[in-house]
Amino acid sequence: MADVLDRATRDGVEYLFDNTITALCETDSGSTVTFSKLAGQRDFDLVVAADGIYSSTCSLAFGRDFGEVRSPKQCLLLMTIPWQPSHGEWSRWFNAPGGRCVSTRPQKKKQQTGAYLAVMSEESREIARMGVVEQKAKFKELFADVGWEARGIVEQIEGNESVYVQETAQVYAPFWTKGRVALVGDAAYCLSGVRPFVEKAQKLIPGVPGIANPQTARGIKVFYAFMWMAEKVNNWGVAGAATNTLSPLTGFIDKGKELSRFPAMELEI
């Protein structure tokens, strides 16, 4: 997607990489912006902040105490690794005691597999804000004794440039615009979009996501038993009941609510 957008806009858009906004000053005609690695200041009509959960631009424009980041204390490592025959062709999920989870999403045709490591930990926020080297070391330590495909996945963390670590969190912001500054994406409404859907989607089922990351071997057995029952319910043709149990969005969607429709934007690929 980044490549598609770049090719569609490179001739008419100026990109400033490896830079951060360090100061914002709103004027009658726009916003004056100071960058970390650019001499002087620049004037813009609008500033759209799309810099993630802990948006520094949001803090500059709305204040450090604006909004709230709520964390269920889960941290994820995602990366792409070469496909192996042992990965098969189906997505798979494995739980280990200590709130740890390993998941694989193989793409045999592309000869690659999406690998995901998740852990429920009081350190989740600390881990998410570490440097990449420290993050890799931490996940290697946390998953060193996990069996299944985890060993092969852990061995490929070091040197893998696709590694991305993120804390699972929700961003609660009372409003998303102020003057000529707007928040979008995770900076405004992690984990979803458009306010009516955001407000509904952020009402998580009690225990989510921890219920999918049990701390004990017994908890894992209970979770697997529950998932087995859910599969049987689905196979029996009463998937609606399971969906109402598992999805906080179902009740809202069933009432006929729809996202607003906007004109499609075509990009030549």
Side-chain angles (χ1 to χ4, degrees), residues 80-85 87 106-114:
T80 301
I81 61 176
W83 180 85
Q84 302 291 335
H87 298 167
Q107 294 178 291
K108 184 178 179 181
K109 290 183 179 180
K110 293 185 177 182
Q111 289 293 292
Q112 66 183 29
T113 295

Side-chain angles (χ1 to χ4, degrees), residues 43-80:
D43 293 322
F44 298 93
D45 295 326
L46 297 172
V47 174
V48 181
D51 47 347
I53 295 174
Y54 299 104
S55 169
S56 58
T57 310
C58 174
S59 297
L60 291 172
F62 295 80
R64 289 186 175 276
D65 297 326
F66 177 78
E68 179 187 0
V69 177
R70 300 180 188 177
S71 171
K73 298 180 173 56
Q74 182 187 56
C75 196
L76 307 169
L77 180 148
L78 307 90
M79 66 179 181
T80 301

